[in-house]
Amino acid sequence: MSLEKCNITEMLGVMRAVGRMNYTKLIKLNEIESLEKTAHAAESKLVRAEKLLKEDEKKFDVFLREYLIGNKEKEKQEQEEKENFLMDRKGLEREIRNLRLKISSIEQSIFQLEDMINDQAKIKALLSRNKNSP
């Protein structure tokens, strides 16, 4: 009688652990989805910023040609604009890279959890086989 009670308790414990792992897996999947959306939004912002910067750069060039600034000052302005653009771009790329690293880490956690779930299922099968054998 106590052996059955022990097996039932063990099975309930295993089932609880599997349930917790499945819940954690769902949470991690939601986090991945959220991070992917954030990464996509950041990429969209980067593309839009590049487009706007190119348009502004063209307008600025026209302005410089039509008005006063000499060649040296013109080159200085363009260099500053490019440096600012590169700094903004590097910041966005760094953010995207960090988000991708987080996604990779979460995916790795999910794979580990899935392995644990599979191990728990094997243990459950072993327990049920031991319970059924004389």
Side-chain angles (χ1 to χ4, degrees), residues 36-109:
E36 286 176 339
K37 286 179 183 178
T38 304
H40 180 68
E43 287 175 343
S44 297
K45 285 180 184 178
L46 178 62
V47 168
R48 185 170 182 261
E50 287 175 342
K51 183 179 176 183
L52 292 173
L53 183 63
K54 286 179 183 178
E55 290 173 6
D56 288 346
E57 192 174 46
K58 288 177 186 178
K59 290 176 186 177
F60 187 68
D61 286 343
V62 169
F63 171 78
L64 288 178
R65 282 187 213 113
E66 291 176 357
Y67 298 96
L68 342 128
I69 300 177
N71 285 340
K72 288 183 182 179
E73 290 178 357
K74 179 180 173 183
E75 289 173 6
K76 182 180 175 183
Q77 288 281 344
E78 289 175 348
Q79 185 63 31
E80 288 175 2
E81 292 262 341
K82 287 179 184 178
E83 287 174 4
N84 289 338
F85 169 75
L86 290 175
M87 287 174 56
D88 290 343
R89 181 181 177 138
K90 285 180 183 178
L92 287 172
E93 288 174 345
R94 189 172 27 253
E95 182 179 341
I96 290 169
R97 187 172 41 253
N98 288 339
L99 289 172
R100 286 188 175 145
L101 286 173
K102 286 180 183 178
I103 288 170
S104 175
S105 173
I106 290 171
E107 287 174 339
Q108 206 170 33
S109 294

